Amino acid sequence: MKITSMDINNKEFKKGLRGYNADEVDEFLDKVAEEYEVIYKENSNIKEKASFLEEKLEHHVQIEATIQSTLVLAQNAAEQVKACAQKESELIIKNANDSSQKLIDKAHNDVLKVNDEYDRTKQEFAKFRTKFRNFMNCQIEMFDGLENDYLKNNNVGNDLIDDNNDEKDTTDIENSDVSVKNIDENEFHNNDLKEIKSFFAKG
């Protein structure tokens, strides 16, 4: 049973023949009741403070748990972002490498095509030059034959003039043939190549 200060004040003792002095007992009980009241109030205050502190502690514990959960979530999110960024950067680098390799391969193929086209054009021009030279030689030989036949059949001109003319014509023909023979593949530049291509395009 819980004793209160009022219980102490109202407490009555039986009187015996040789009992305690009633006044002293009452005075002592009054003091005890007062001290008990003070202690009781202090105890109540301490209990209230303890309860308040327990509530605050529980609140802080909950806050701490929330913060820890938030930190864990933030850490997981950061790791996911880092992993995604790593994968994205690797993908970007791979695509860049693939694109650059494709450009390099295309440029290499273009160079090979240009070289092949240049070689083919040189060969075609060499064939054309040979055919043209042979054609010119045939024309010269045919012209010489016709001229000789004409002179023999018609007996025109005097021998001296004919000889001079023959020497002059022969010199011109030789000079023409030399100029044709002096053509070299190494003397053809870009402008010459363009003219050759234009010539074949027209044909």
Side-chain angles (χ1 to χ4, degrees):
M1 180 179 177
K2 189 176 181 180
I3 299 174
T4 64
S5 59
M6 187 175 294
D7 293 334
I8 295 173
N9 287 325
N10 294 333
K11 180 65 177 176
E12 293 183 358
F13 296 95
K14 293 180 180 180
K15 295 179 180 180
L17 184 62
R18 290 185 176 182
Y20 291 103
N21 188 316
D23 293 335
E24 290 180 359
V25 171
D26 290 339
E27 183 180 357
F28 179 75
L29 289 175
D30 289 338
K31 289 181 180 181
V32 171
E34 290 177 1
E35 292 295 330
Y36 181 83
E37 183 70 21
V38 171
I39 293 172
Y40 180 81
K41 289 181 179 179
E42 289 179 355
N43 188 36
S44 297
N45 291 334
I46 290 173
K47 286 183 179 180
E48 290 178 359
K49 288 181 179 180
S51 177
F52 175 74
L53 292 175
E54 286 180 358
E55 291 178 358
K56 289 188 69 175
L57 179 60
E58 184 178 357
H59 178 67
H60 284 102
V61 168
Q62 292 178 354
I63 291 176
E64 183 180 1
T66 303
I67 292 174
Q68 288 180 351
S69 299
T70 304
L71 289 175
V72 171
L73 292 175
Q75 185 176 2
N76 292 335
E79 290 178 354
Q80 291 179 357
V81 170
K82 182 179 178 181
C84 291
Q86 182 69 24
K87 291 181 180 179
E88 186 175 358
S89 63
E90 291 176 355
L91 181 62
I92 291 172
I93 292 173
K94 182 179 180 300
N95 291 336
N97 290 334
D98 293 342
S99 298
S100 62
Q101 187 62 43
K102 289 180 181 178
L103 291 175
I104 292 172
D105 293 341
K106 184 178 182 301
H108 180 69
N109 292 332
D110 291 342
V111 170
L112 293 178
K113 288 181 181 178
V114 170
N115 289 334
D116 291 342
E117 181 68 18
Y118 177 71
D119 292 338
R120 186 182 65 82
T121 303
K122 283 177 60 178
Q123 292 175 1
E124 290 180 355
F125 182 76
K127 292 178 182 178
F128 166 77
R129 185 183 61 181
T130 302
K131 290 181 179 180
F132 184 75
R133 180 182 292 170
N134 292 334
F135 171 77
M136 292 298 297
N137 289 334
C138 290
Q139 295 297 318
I140 292 171
E141 290 176 0
M142 184 178 66
F143 178 77
D144 289 344
L146 291 174
E147 185 178 23
N148 290 332
D149 291 341
Y150 177 78
L151 294 176
K152 289 178 181 178
N153 293 331
N154 295 289
N155 287 325
V156 294
N158 80 32
D159 293 337
L160 183 58
I161 295 174
D162 289 341
D163 290 340
N164 290 335
N165 288 335
D166 288 342
E167 291 177 359
K168 182 179 180 182
D169 292 339
T170 302
T171 302
D172 292 339
I173 291 171
E174 289 177 352
N175 291 335
S176 175
D177 187 53
V178 169
S179 64
V180 172
K181 290 181 180 179
N182 285 336
I183 299 175
D184 193 336
E185 292 181 6
N186 294 326
E187 295 176 359
F188 293 106
H189 302 292
N190 292 332
N191 292 332
D192 299 322
L193 188 59
K194 290 181 180 179
E195 292 178 3
I196 294 168
K197 289 183 179 180
S198 176
F199 175 82
F200 282 106
K202 292 180 181 178

